[in-house]
Amino acid sequence: MSKPIIEVTGVSKSYGGVHANKDVSLKVADGGITGLIGPNGSGKTTLFNSIVGYHPIDCGSVKFQGKEISKLQVPQIARLGLLRTFQQTRIYGEMNCVENMLISIPHRKMSYKDMFKHNSKIDYEKADRLLDFVGLYEKRYLRAGSLSFGQQKLLEFAMALTNEPTVLMLDEPTAGINPTLINGLIDRLQLANSEFGITLFIIEHNMRVIMNMADHIYCLAHGEMLASGPPSEIQNDQRVIDAYLGAH
Amino acid sequence: MNKTLLYIALLIISIALPFVFPNYTISLTAMWLLIIVSLTWDMTGGQMGYNSLGNIFFYGTGMYVAAITGISMVYDVGQYTSAAGGGINNFTATQYFSGLGIGAVAAGIFCAISAVILGYLLFGLRGPYFAIGTLGVAIAAGELVSNWEWVGGGQGVSLPVYPGDLDEGKFFFYYLFCTLGIATFIFLKWLYSTRFGAAINAIRDDEEKAEAMGIHTLRYKLVTWSIAAFIVGLAGAFSGYQLIQFEPLETAYQTINLGIFMVVCVLLGGKGTLWGPVIGAILFHVLKEVTWTYFLGWQWVALGALIVVTVVYFQDGLMGWLKHVRPEWFGERVEQKPGSKPSSASQAEAAQ
């Protein structure tokens, strides 16, 4: 395993009496594709939220590029280059696709002066290019809220790419998308990883997708880390099978 | 080209109005005030999704700051207000205009700074809680000022009258508000075309997403509200000098009149659009003047009915309705990539 870019050590998070995450530790390798699986309610999204600073964690540490980020707020972490997409797709519904893309350009070094600038020609070209990359070029002047669910997911993915993240955390990118489109999405995710060099960390229920894409997989169950390893190992792990079939 | 002609025509109409209808100059000035406060209310309410019921706070505060600044340049404020206009309000023309000018700038800056401070306290609130929170600020400010004797207490403040012909004074204030209104419109037209406009729209559509994408949401919210406060503060300053005599609860911090009117104007015209507040303000003003003139005694019933009908049946307003029936006028269209067949991937999506 190469140098980890995200290092989660001993993170716990509970809501009242419910322990959503118990002493979870994992590492996301720089430049790779890491998967996170587990039955419904096993704490995958909670862990994502803990990493991106959506809520304070009870204990433990989250490091991004060797820097402790567990005390930072969501926009600050996003500006470091650690970006997430949502399980329930979130786009800016009243704006068209191009505007959605333009507002997603990195805000890392944006000063007060930059806030009042017009978008440059380069920004527009980039928006068009990435919309073309996800196959939404024809629809780019339509209201984002009028697109279908699957197209909104693609738009959200394109917006994430516009932001030029170092790591992209995707929460169920293929949920609710038809099988034909899933193949296209997998291709684009792999391209984003290989061509743009974006490290991917993916929550996924579709085993075919995640087993084909990821080079390392973590499995959560009941808020605890159940197993981890390469896909072939995870697929044959009796504990993982039991957790999914409910024997756990 | 046609657009340029339209803008020039509107500009000429704005300049010519008081000459065509000299008897209505005061009413037309009030219409410009309504346009200004509606445009600025829409900055937070329509473009950013934060419905403030407290923008009237900046109107009242601007009025007081400008008046007190203007007076303090000539007299001792405590003595002046306790005399309540009884004798000592002789101002030369220079004193009057410098008081108005410096007072207005002071009012704008004071309001902009108070918006930043209030914003830190209130922007943690979302939706209806923000509306109630801001309303609370405006009401509390009115009560506080009405108990503050140094600034005239419940009696309010009397300012000097316009030094010169009274009709000339009416024209002067008409063009003051007209200039501020046009400047506000041009400024907002530019602002909404920059990244800033897109960012506050993003906050309106999904603030959590905007945060997750790394947008400095609080910074945008504070700047937006303080710009709105600056402009409303100026409008309040001008209003104070125009009214000559004003008091805290019914004139300066008039939460139930102007404070609500600006919201109704924006809803009527269509929030989140540049022209909506302008059209809404003009319509509302005409309706208001007509009911006041011909249905006196029933005017509040008529306005109340208008508010109910707008909120229940016509939430998107005129511009919103137009956007719905004619989306292509607002740039919504499907556009093929020049010189390329649809790729296999986009066919797959089209099949969806």
Side-chain angles (χ1 to χ4, degrees):
Chain A
M1 191 178 188
S2 66
K3 190 167 73 54
I5 191 156
I6 299 177
E7 243 186 308
V8 176
T9 327
V11 165
S12 297
K13 175 72 191 174
S14 54
Y15 299 102
V18 182
H19 296 282
N21 285 152
K22 258 184 287 182
D23 195 26
V24 174
S25 300
L26 60 78
K27 282 174 183 160
V28 175
D30 193 2
I33 301 180
T34 306
L36 180 63
I37 62 170
N40 290 325
S42 59
K44 301 183 297 295
T45 302
T46 304
L47 183 62
F48 259 37
N49 286 338
S50 299
I51 294 173
V52 299
Y54 196 75
H55 51 219
I57 52 176
D58 298 342
C59 61
S61 117
V62 181
K63 278 187 178 147
F64 176 64
Q65 294 177 320
K67 190 184 167 220
E68 183 67 35
I69 57 166
S70 56
K71 295 279 183 287
L72 296 182
Q73 287 177 330
V74 176
Q76 292 173 312
I77 292 173
R79 287 195 289 274
L80 289 176
L82 177 56
L83 209 68
R84 66 91 57 94
T85 66
F86 290 88
Q87 192 171 359
Q88 299 300 323
T89 305
R90 302 184 96 147
I91 40 94
Y92 308 120
E94 292 297 313
M95 300 157 78
N96 70 32
C97 297
V98 174
E99 287 167 337
N100 267 275
M101 296 292 284
L102 290 173
I103 193 57
S104 305
I105 54 169
H107 285 248
R108 236 146 277 164
K109 294 182 192 105
M110 201 161 276
S111 67
Y112 273 93
K113 217 172 120 197
D114 294 330
M115 284 164 56
F116 297 101
K117 277 189 184 151
H118 287 94
N119 288 298
S120 68
K121 206 165 167 247
I122 300 166
D123 297 330
Y124 278 97
E125 280 165 7
K126 186 178 164 193
D128 282 356
R129 196 174 66 243
L130 284 169
L131 282 170
D132 192 28
F133 178 68
V134 297
L136 286 174
Y137 189 86
E138 284 87 358
K139 312 216 161 165
R140 69 195 194 281
Y141 292 117
L142 295 182
R143 224 161 39 81
S146 70
L147 299 178
S148 74
F149 181 76
Q151 289 167 333
Q152 291 188 6
K153 270 218 134 124
L154 288 167
L155 176 63
E156 195 186 23
F157 175 53
M159 284 159 69
L161 294 181
T162 313
N163 204 279
E164 296 168 6
T166 319
V167 178
L168 182 55
M169 299 175 40
L170 299 139
D171 198 343
E172 298 193 29
T174 67
I177 297 190
N178 79 40
T180 336
L181 199 51
I182 286 181
N183 289 334
L185 188 66
I186 294 174
D187 286 347
R188 279 153 196 158
L189 283 171
Q190 278 172 333
L191 271 176
N193 178 250
S194 58
E195 282 192 15
F196 303 143
I198 299 170
T199 305
L200 298 178
F201 185 25
I202 306 173
I203 292 181
E204 189 51 70
H205 273 305
N206 187 328
M207 287 305 141
R208 183 178 65 86
V209 171
I210 197 72
M211 292 302 166
N212 281 328
M213 281 174 67
D215 24 61
H216 197 87
I217 290 177
Y218 288 92
C219 179
L220 278 176
H222 298 283
E224 288 174 274
M225 194 56 78
L226 187 68
S228 88
S232 53
E233 213 174 280
I234 290 287
Q235 263 170 319
N236 299 317
D237 193 312
Q238 193 55 43
R239 293 170 304 169
V240 176
I241 297 166
D242 287 347
Y244 265 92
L245 297 179
H248 189 69
Chain B
M1 187 59 212
N2 280 333
K3 263 193 174 166
T4 324
L5 278 178
L6 177 74
Y7 281 121
I8 292 170
L10 287 173
L11 185 66
I12 292 170
I13 293 173
S14 306
I15 294 169
L17 268 179
F19 291 100
V20 183
F21 304 104
N23 297 331
Y24 292 95
T25 313
I26 292 177
S27 173
L28 290 169
T29 313
M31 189 179 80
W32 276 108
L33 170 66
L34 211 50
I35 291 175
I36 295 163
V37 291
S38 302
L39 274 171
T40 48
W41 187 86
D42 190 57
M43 289 175 71
T44 51
Q47 302 280 350
M48 204 172 71
Y50 273 81
N51 299 317
S52 155
L53 289 178
N55 277 19
I56 197 69
F57 167 80
F58 303 118
Y59 179 76
T61 305
M63 202 178 267
Y64 267 97
V65 170
I68 299 300
T69 309
I71 293 165
S72 68
M73 287 163 63
V74 187
Y75 294 104
D76 177 78
V77 178
Q79 272 178 19
Y80 181 92
T81 48
S82 60
I88 53 161
N89 58 353
N90 299 316
F91 286 73
T92 64
T94 326
Q95 284 171 342
Y96 180 87
F97 287 113
S98 56
L100 173 57
I102 296 170
V105 173
I109 293 170
F110 187 90
C111 288
I113 294 170
S114 29
V116 172
I117 296 166
L118 287 172
Y120 267 109
L121 300 171
L122 292 170
F123 274 129
L125 304 172
R126 303 273 156 96
Y129 301 101
F130 180 77
I132 299 298
T134 47
L135 179 64
V137 169
I139 294 175
E143 293 296 335
L144 279 175
V145 170
S146 68
N147 284 300
W148 189 7
E149 288 306 324
W150 188 69
V151 296
Q155 280 193 321
V157 180
S158 308
L159 281 165
V161 289
Y162 182 81
D165 184 47
L166 264 178
D167 280 333
E168 186 195 305
K170 285 180 191 167
F171 273 60
F172 172 76
F173 280 106
Y174 174 84
Y175 288 114
L176 205 53
F177 279 97
C178 176
T179 312
L180 181 60
I182 292 171
T184 305
F185 184 88
I186 294 170
F187 171 75
L188 290 181
K189 192 174 164 59
W190 166 79
L191 185 72
Y192 295 157
S193 73
T194 64
R195 283 176 184 163
F196 192 93
I200 61 175
N201 286 168
I203 292 171
R204 171 195 64 197
D205 284 1
D206 192 335
E207 187 166 349
E208 265 183 29
K209 173 72 180 174
E211 279 178 358
M213 295 298 282
I215 297 176
H216 301 80
T217 47
L218 183 63
R219 189 198 279 183
Y220 280 101
K221 291 192 282 186
L222 293 176
V223 173
T224 308
W225 211 27
S226 67
I227 294 172
F230 180 83
I231 298 168
V232 178
L234 284 182
F238 298 162
S239 287
Y241 276 82
Q242 187 205 11
L243 292 166
I244 301 165
Q245 155 72 40
F246 62 87
E247 57 79 66
L249 294 176
E250 301 284 317
T251 326
Y253 297 96
Q254 44 170 318
T255 34
I256 56 155
N257 295 343
L258 193 61
I260 295 299
F261 291 169
M262 58 174 104
V263 185
V264 180
C265 291
V266 174
L267 291 181
L268 194 63
K271 60 179 186 175
T273 59
L274 186 58
W275 275 105
V278 180
I279 296 166
I282 295 170
L283 265 180
F284 180 84
H285 185 73
V286 171
L287 275 167
K288 179 169 149 278
E289 293 295 297
V290 169
T291 47
W292 249 256
T293 314
Y294 297 103
F295 305 100
L296 196 64
W298 287 90
Q299 77 272 37
W300 290 109
V301 180
L303 283 187
L306 176 72
I307 294 174
V308 171
V309 169
T310 312
V311 170
V312 176
Y313 296 106
F314 208 56
Q315 280 182 3
D316 295 335
L318 275 176
M319 293 300 278
W321 169 77
L322 208 59
K323 225 174 185 167
H324 184 71
V325 294
R326 287 269 178 279
E328 65 274 16
W329 289 3
F330 296 85
E332 274 193 51
R333 62 184 185 275
V334 176
E335 194 176 284
Q336 297 295 324
K337 200 177 174 187
S340 80
K341 277 185 251 171
S343 63
S344 59
S346 64
Q347 270 170 359
E349 273 123 31
Q352 214 210 320

